[in-house]
Amino acid sequence: MVLATDLRGTNFGQNSQYLHVWDSTNLTSFTGYRRIRMHTLNAHTWAPTAFWDASRGQYGIVYSCNSGGDVLMVNYTTDFVNVTAQQVFFSPGFGVLDGDIVVDGGTTHLYYKNLANGLLYGARSSTGAPNSFTTYTGGLRMGNAIEAPLLVKNNEGSGWRLWGDSFSPVNADYYIWSTPNIGGNSWTPLNQRDYTPPLNAKHGSIVGITDAEYNGLVSRWGNPNWVRLKSSNLPDYFVRHANSVGRIDPYPFDPYQDQLWRMVPGLADSAGVSFESVNRPGNFLRHFNYAIRLEANNGTATFRADATFYRTAGLADAAWTSLRSYNFPDRYLRHANYLLRIDPLSASSSASDRQDATFRITP
C-alpha cells in the first residue's frame, strides 16, 4: 500500500482533502490507483502514514492537517477505499506535523515535529487511541531545521534509529539518532561516517521488506549503475565535478548528478578503475599537473593513464578505500581545500593527509 500527498502544487494555503493510494503485493507493480477523500474541511492534507490498530481491527491513516491550526488527524479503514470520518488524533496545544507511528508490543509510539520550536519529539500511548499520547522525550534537531521524523527498529540486534529530514543549511539532508531503549530519553546522534543518506530523497518512509521482496525489487528495477565517493573525514562531502574541476562538496547540491560516477575497468589497466561521469558521458576524472579535472577521453595513452587508479585499503581506515594513481604510483587521490589532486602519500604520512585520501565507494 502506497499513500501519498495530493499536493496540488506546493501552496499549503490551497484546500486538499484527498490522499493518493496504490496497491501492491510485490513492490514491483502498483495497481488500483484511487484518491480517497479524508474530510470536507477547508484545509490542506499531507504527510500521511498508516498503522494497524489491533483493538479496532482497523488501520489508522494519520496525516497533517491545517484546520484552525496544525494538528494530526486520523481516519480508520479496513480496505483503504472507505474511511471513517476524520477526528483529531494529536493536538497537544501547539502546532504539530509529520507524525510517524510505530506499534511495539503494547506501546504505540508517535514521533512528530513541534512547530513552536522546530524540534522533533516522541510521544507514546498504551492504547494508540486518539488524544491518548504523552510526550516523553526531549527535543531533537541536527542541522539548522528539521522535519519528517522516521522511527525504525533495527534489523540487526536490538535498538532503534530515528531519521530526520533537514532542510537547512541545505535541503534534503538526512540525519540519524540511535538508542538502545525506545522507552528512554537517550537518543544519540550518529556520525555520518556510519551511514549514507539516500540520494535525492525527501520526506520519505522506511518499511522493512523480506529477502524475497528485495530480490524482486532488484530483478524489476535493477541495482544502481553508478557509485559515489564519500569523504572519510568530511563524511557529508562527496566527490563531484563542477566547471570541469574535481572537488568535494557537502551533499545535497544541484545538480545532484555531478556526484554520480560509472566505475569502469581502468582505461590503462583493467585491474584498475576509471570514473566516468554519469551526466557527462565520455568524460572521466583524470589528473593534469597533479590536479583532478573532468575531461573527455581523447583516446591517447596519456589520458588513459591519467584516468586510471588502483583501489587499495584506505590509508586512514582499511575498511574504506584509497585510490592510487596508475602512472604516479606514489601518489593518491586526496582532497585539499576541497579540491581534488594526487599527492605522494604513504602509511607514514600524517593522519590528516591519510584521511584526506580515504573514501567510501557507495551508492
Side-chain angles (χ1 to χ4, degrees), residues 191-193 230-237 248 316-317 320 334-338 350-360:
N191 190 306
Q192 283 195 328
R193 288 192 86 253
K230 173 179 178 174
S231 168
S232 172
N233 53 349
L234 295 172
D236 58 335
Y237 281 64
I248 61 169
D317 184 340
W320 290 45
R334 58 91 54 91
H335 64 82
N337 295 321
Y338 308 116
S350 71
S352 61
D353 283 343
R354 287 183 284 113
Q355 290 166 359
D356 290 349
T358 301
F359 302 89
R360 171 162 284 169

Side-chain angles (χ1 to χ4, degrees), residues 31-332:
T31 59
Y33 168 71
R34 57 202 177 274
R35 290 198 312 161
I36 54 175
R37 193 172 195 174
M38 308 306 291
H39 55 76
T40 58
L41 303 171
N42 293 325
H44 195 70
T45 304
W46 77 102
T49 188
F51 73 102
W52 174 249
D53 188 325
S55 65
R56 292 175 178 265
Q58 294 176 301
Y59 292 96
I61 304 174
V62 176
Y63 51 93
S64 299
C65 186
N66 57 356
S67 174
D70 288 283
V71 302
L72 299 181
M73 290 284 196
V74 65
N75 303 64
Y76 292 94
T77 183
T78 57
D79 56 10
F80 291 89
V81 175
N82 302 293
V83 299
T84 64
Q86 86 282 352
Q87 57 183 301
V88 174
F89 188 71
F90 186 60
S91 180
F94 47 82
V96 296
L97 53 75
D98 295 347
D100 192 49
I101 300 172
V102 175
V103 179
D104 183 50
T107 302
T108 301
H109 297 276
L110 164 65
Y111 275 69
Y112 65 91
K113 178 175 179 175
N114 178 337
L115 285 173
N117 60 17
L119 305 183
L120 306 182
Y121 289 86
R124 60 190 171 196
S125 166
S126 61
T127 66
N131 303 306
S132 66
F133 289 84
T134 301
T135 297
Y136 71 99
T137 72
L140 299 168
R141 184 179 69 196
M142 284 192 274
N144 296 336
I146 202 158
E147 61 186 3
L150 294 172
L151 182 64
V152 183
K153 197 169 188 176
N154 289 350
N155 280 344
E156 300 176 355
S158 60
W160 294 75
R161 301 284 174 88
L162 179 68
W163 293 67
D165 181 356
S166 176
F167 55 93
S168 176
V170 291
N171 194 20
D173 197 7
Y174 276 92
Y175 293 100
I176 303 179
W177 294 264
S178 177
T179 185
N181 177 19
I182 186 64
N185 183 18
S186 58
W187 288 104
T188 301
L190 293 186
N191 190 306
Q192 283 195 328
R193 288 192 86 253
D194 300 322
Y195 67 95
T196 300
L199 177 66
N200 201 31
K202 184 160 184 64
H203 224 294
S205 297
I206 299 176
V207 178
I209 60 175
T210 65
D211 285 339
E213 288 170 330
Y214 173 81
N215 292 332
L217 282 168
V218 171
S219 177
R220 172 64 178 86
W221 306 107
N223 281 314
N225 64 352
W226 39 259
V227 299
R228 294 187 286 168
L229 277 70
K230 173 179 178 174
S231 168
S232 172
N233 53 349
L234 295 172
D236 58 335
Y237 281 64
F238 289 81
V239 169
R240 68 173 298 190
H241 64 83
N243 298 318
S244 299
V245 173
R247 57 178 294 118
I248 61 169
D249 278 323
Y251 179 74
F253 49 73
D254 287 317
Y256 73 90
Q257 296 93 336
D258 288 355
Q259 66 185 304
L260 304 184
W261 308 97
R262 291 195 173 91
M263 188 169 66
V264 301
L267 298 180
D269 181 354
S270 60
V273 295
S274 294
F275 295 94
E276 182 183 13
S277 169
V278 165
N279 61 347
R280 291 181 60 183
N283 287 257
F284 292 80
L285 290 179
R286 59 89 57 98
H287 63 81
F288 183 80
N289 290 333
Y290 307 127
I292 299 298
R293 298 187 52 80
L294 183 75
E295 292 185 0
N297 183 0
N298 61 19
T300 65
T302 298
F303 183 96
R304 293 194 298 271
D306 291 350
T308 300
F309 302 87
Y310 292 114
R311 295 178 63 176
T312 70
L315 292 173
D317 184 340
W320 290 45
T321 297
S322 291
L323 294 160
R324 180 168 57 85
S325 169
Y326 166 81
N327 51 351
F328 290 88
D330 64 332
R331 292 177 179 261
Y332 288 79

